[in-house]
Amino acid sequence: MYETPGNPLTGGITIKKVALNSLDKESAAPAFHPNGKAIYITSWTAQGDKKIYQLTSSDKGWSDPVELGSQVNVKGFNSIQPFVTKDGNYLIFSSNRPGGQGKYDLWYCPLRTDGSLGQAINLGNKINSSEDDEAPYYNAQTKKLLFSSNGRIGMGGFDFYGK
């Protein structure tokens, strides 16, 4: 993963690799908190165990990734594809944890001002199907959740929907 401090419109940007040395895993799907002080990533092992981690920024750079708690990561289940809303109030993610409508469902957790997470809430059957629902993105301007699903009639595979 890389970061580019600076303003690309005025020049003077640099590209710097963000080391994830403490994870012996693959990582992808970064979601940046709008305050610029936190990144949420999906990481997984060769066995397929997928979890969401947080890195925080300080004067010394980015912290080592810290696995999020049971509000997001439930033992024996996967949590993937984090997204932070533009106002920084919610973390939306996909998980096959118990209590959902199908395989992978979309869930959200309140992000408290102190950085802690509230309890995960399933987005319900108006969003989630009996199959996989993934790749959440909330557009604050249109007030629509965009997501991908293979549990609805569409063109095939993971079509995108907005609700």
Side-chain angles (χ1 to χ4, degrees), residues 20 23 31 33 35 37-43 51-57 62-69 73 82 91 111 114-117:
L20 299 176
L23 286 180
H33 193 284
N35 69 12
K37 297 181 189 276
I39 301 173
Y40 300 89
I41 59 171
T42 303
S43 288
K51 296 183 179 187
I52 298 175
Y53 291 76
Q54 178 181 349
L55 291 81
T56 54
S57 177
W62 290 99
S63 70
D64 287 336
V66 175
E67 182 180 321
L68 294 182
N73 296 311
L91 174 72
L111 284 170
D114 67 359
S116 66
L117 294 165

Side-chain angles (χ1 to χ4, degrees), residues 113-151:
T113 55
D114 67 359
S116 66
L117 294 165
Q119 197 57 42
I121 300 167
N122 185 281
L123 284 169
N125 63 10
K126 289 191 179 194
I127 299 294
N128 294 308
S129 68
S130 61
E131 294 296 322
D132 295 319
D133 300 290
E134 301 179 358
Y137 169 81
Y138 182 75
N139 185 319
Q141 188 173 16
T142 63
K143 297 184 178 16
K144 285 197 174 199
L145 176 69
L146 303 175
F147 61 98
S148 182
S149 178
N150 68 0

Side-chain angles (χ1 to χ4, degrees), residues 25 43-51 53 74 76-78:
K25 305 172 187 220
S43 288
W44 61 94
T45 63
Q47 294 80 22
D49 187 25
K50 300 174 182 108
K51 296 183 179 187
Y53 291 76
V74 174
F77 297 91
N78 295 316

